[in-house]
Amino acid sequence: MANAAYIYDAVRTPRGRGKQNGSLYTVKAVDLLATSLRALMARNGLSEPSKSALVDDVSIGCVTQTGEQGACIGRSGVLLADLDESVPAVTLNRFCGSGLEAVNEAAAKVAAGFADLTIGGGVESMSRVAMGSDGGALWDPTFEWRYGTVPQGISADLLATIGGFTRDDVDQFALQSQRKAAAAWERGEFARSVVPVLDMNGVTVLARDEYLRPDTTIESLTKLKAAFEAMGDQFGLDDLARKRYPHIEHIRHIHTAGNSSGIVDGSAALLLGNEAIGKSLGLTPRARIRAAVSTGGEPVLMLAEPVSATQKALKKAGMTIGDIDLFEVNEAFAAVPLYFAQQLGVDLDKINVNGGAIALGHPLGATGAMLLGTVLDALERRNLSTGLVTLCIGGGMGIATIIERV
């Protein structure tokens, strides 16, 4: 019989702008990861080597595994964070779902009885390691034409067209994301989980998410140009997408830099374990994982997969959509949560209550782990019970995790 996998704690760094003018540009990805790991250990009385040695395994998500983020950054982070050398680590890549996949795999080891105490998390330095710089078949034109895959921006606009969303719909959603995130920071919604990034002298480099644009207005959003229209027209990508969807006469290009996720740096880590290890260490579980699933789907309309992933997770947990109190649906593009809400009949007031990646940014390999901590904090502050986290994933995949407070 499976063990219950409990979440004992969750931490993350602030998100820094993923450009050379971002505060975290001077911080290597391994240092970002070590920041979250050290904080997680210290907060739970596991900093001493003899205590950290109780961690059976560490799973870390990272998407662009090249250069500074190559060579199993998970293991490098463990060593730099001064965990006992006996603690192993693995680095995995499920594109934008990597951070949540890492947590799910760490939890699965606990549930299977193969581990007592694990860590799951993720890291991405988008300012120092450019997205796509690791190459791969997904970027190969031969592969693209064989399977009809298109860049995610084209897919986002296709999704919006199929869902019937207008430019005003996505801009209004983006505006609300900015407002909710700014208000959440003012209310202290992120205070429990966010740990500052320090330099080697102990001076604070960044203590607060810096991608937010609280002065955003609907007028400023309206002025932005569609980001993927020229790409779709000039390179024939719209035609390529319509090969799969011939009933779509014209793809409406409505996504811009203002209603799409931001490029940022950051890391996150969660402590997971069974009931016995928690009792032995004097730790109080905050939540248990009810279901953790991944799905594959049609690779052109790749951003629709959070719907099927959610349906699969609910079935695994023996729950219905009405059993979920709060949702975190990654705001890769505004159309993604809008389509999710439309297809599953979810009230937008229950989705991303503290804003999302449009306002806060999307540090690829870390985002899923961050969102799990975010929904847990939100559930606790509102005295609610269940939360679901889901992300769309490149190549036509989805991922979802359901947690329940204990």
Side-chain angles (χ1 to χ4, degrees):
M1 182 177 178
N3 300 305
Y6 293 101
I7 299 174
Y8 284 99
D9 204 5
V11 302
R12 72 169 177 90
T13 67
R15 297 168 172 94
R17 282 190 302 271
K19 302 282 181 69
Q20 292 188 11
N21 65 350
S23 294
L24 298 181
Y25 174 67
T26 60
V27 183
K28 294 179 181 178
V30 69
D31 292 302
L32 287 176
L33 177 56
T35 295
S36 289
L37 292 174
R38 285 195 202 100
L40 190 68
M41 294 291 96
R43 283 165 48 135
N44 294 281
L46 299 173
S47 294
E48 292 297 321
S50 61
K51 288 292 185 68
S52 67
L54 295 172
V55 177
D56 292 305
D57 206 355
V58 176
S59 298
I60 297 298
C62 182
V63 174
T64 312
Q65 295 184 36
T66 188
E68 293 178 356
Q69 292 185 161
C72 191
I73 193 172
R75 174 60 174 172
S76 301
V78 163
L79 296 175
L80 190 61
D82 297 319
L83 274 72
D84 192 80
E85 293 177 353
S86 66
V87 179
V90 63
T91 307
L92 54 86
N93 179 8
R94 200 188 284 276
F95 297 138
C96 295
S98 298
L100 191 57
E101 177 67 25
V103 175
N104 289 351
E105 290 197 9
K109 291 176 182 177
V110 173
F114 296 152
D116 297 318
L117 190 67
T118 60
I119 294 173
V123 64
E124 204 81 32
S125 175
M126 300 182 76
S127 66
R128 297 177 66 93
V129 184
M131 179 170 53
S133 59
D134 54 337
L138 198 63
W139 309 102
D140 188 306
T142 302
F143 180 92
E144 288 185 342
W145 280 99
R146 177 175 178 180
Y147 286 96
T149 56
V150 294
Q152 285 196 351
I154 302 295
S155 179
D157 288 335
L158 174 62
L159 186 71
T161 302
I162 291 173
F165 307 126
T166 66
R167 173 65 183 270
D168 185 61
D169 290 333
V170 292
D171 281 348
Q172 290 289 350
F173 184 90
L175 179 63
Q176 290 305 311
S177 182
Q178 293 287 352
R179 288 176 174 174
K180 288 190 289 187
W185 263 107
E186 294 307 313
R187 292 194 306 269
E189 293 271 357
F190 305 122
R192 177 168 185 173
S193 293
V194 174
V195 295
V197 178
L198 311 177
D199 66 14
M200 64 180 63
N201 298 312
V203 177
T204 299
V205 177
L206 186 65
R208 182 184 174 103
D209 295 319
E210 70 172 348
Y211 186 78
L212 284 85
R213 291 153 290 176
D215 58 345
T216 298
T217 64
I218 197 64
E219 290 75 22
S220 64
L221 288 170
T222 302
K223 293 177 182 178
L224 297 174
K225 292 183 179 180
F228 308 102
E229 186 170 16
M231 180 189 300
D233 290 343
Q234 295 175 14
F235 295 100
L237 295 175
D238 282 2
D239 292 335
L240 187 60
R242 286 200 298 269
K243 285 176 63 178
R244 284 279 188 132
Y245 295 89
H247 62 287
I248 302 296
E249 295 183 6
H250 176 71
I251 296 175
R252 296 197 303 271
H253 291 285
I254 60 175
H255 284 95
T256 70
N259 54 44
S260 307
S261 58
I263 294 174
V264 293
D265 307 331
S267 74
L270 287 84
L271 185 66
L272 304 116
N274 57 30
E275 184 178 14
I277 193 71
K279 287 182 177 179
S280 70
L281 294 172
L283 301 175
T284 302
R286 297 174 62 188
R288 70 183 179 103
I289 294 180
R290 288 285 303 269
V293 305
S294 298
T295 60
E298 196 276 288
V300 175
L301 196 66
M302 65 187 87
L303 306 182
E305 277 304 297
V307 173
S308 61
T310 294
Q311 291 169 332
K312 184 177 180 179
L314 290 169
K315 184 177 180 180
K316 287 286 185 182
M319 304 171 74
T320 68
I321 199 75
D323 294 324
I324 306 299
D325 295 312
L326 295 177
F327 299 83
E328 285 291 326
V329 183
N330 189 38
E331 296 173 3
F333 302 89
V336 176
L338 286 172
Y339 185 83
F340 179 91
Q342 178 194 73
Q343 295 299 305
L344 295 177
V346 177
D347 192 327
L348 284 174
D349 289 341
K350 291 185 175 183
I351 298 177
N352 304 352
V353 294
N354 292 323
I358 290 173
L360 297 165
H362 175 22
L364 303 180
T367 303
M370 287 184 170
L371 295 184
L372 203 55
T374 296
V375 79
L376 178 53
D377 285 343
L379 289 170
E380 289 175 340
R381 288 179 68 91
R382 291 160 176 78
N383 195 28
L384 298 173
S385 177
T386 58
L388 183 146
V389 176
T390 184
L391 298 91
C392 55
I393 303 173
M397 295 185 287
I399 190 168
T401 301
I402 298 173
I403 64 171
E404 181 179 44
R405 286 179 60 207
V406 295

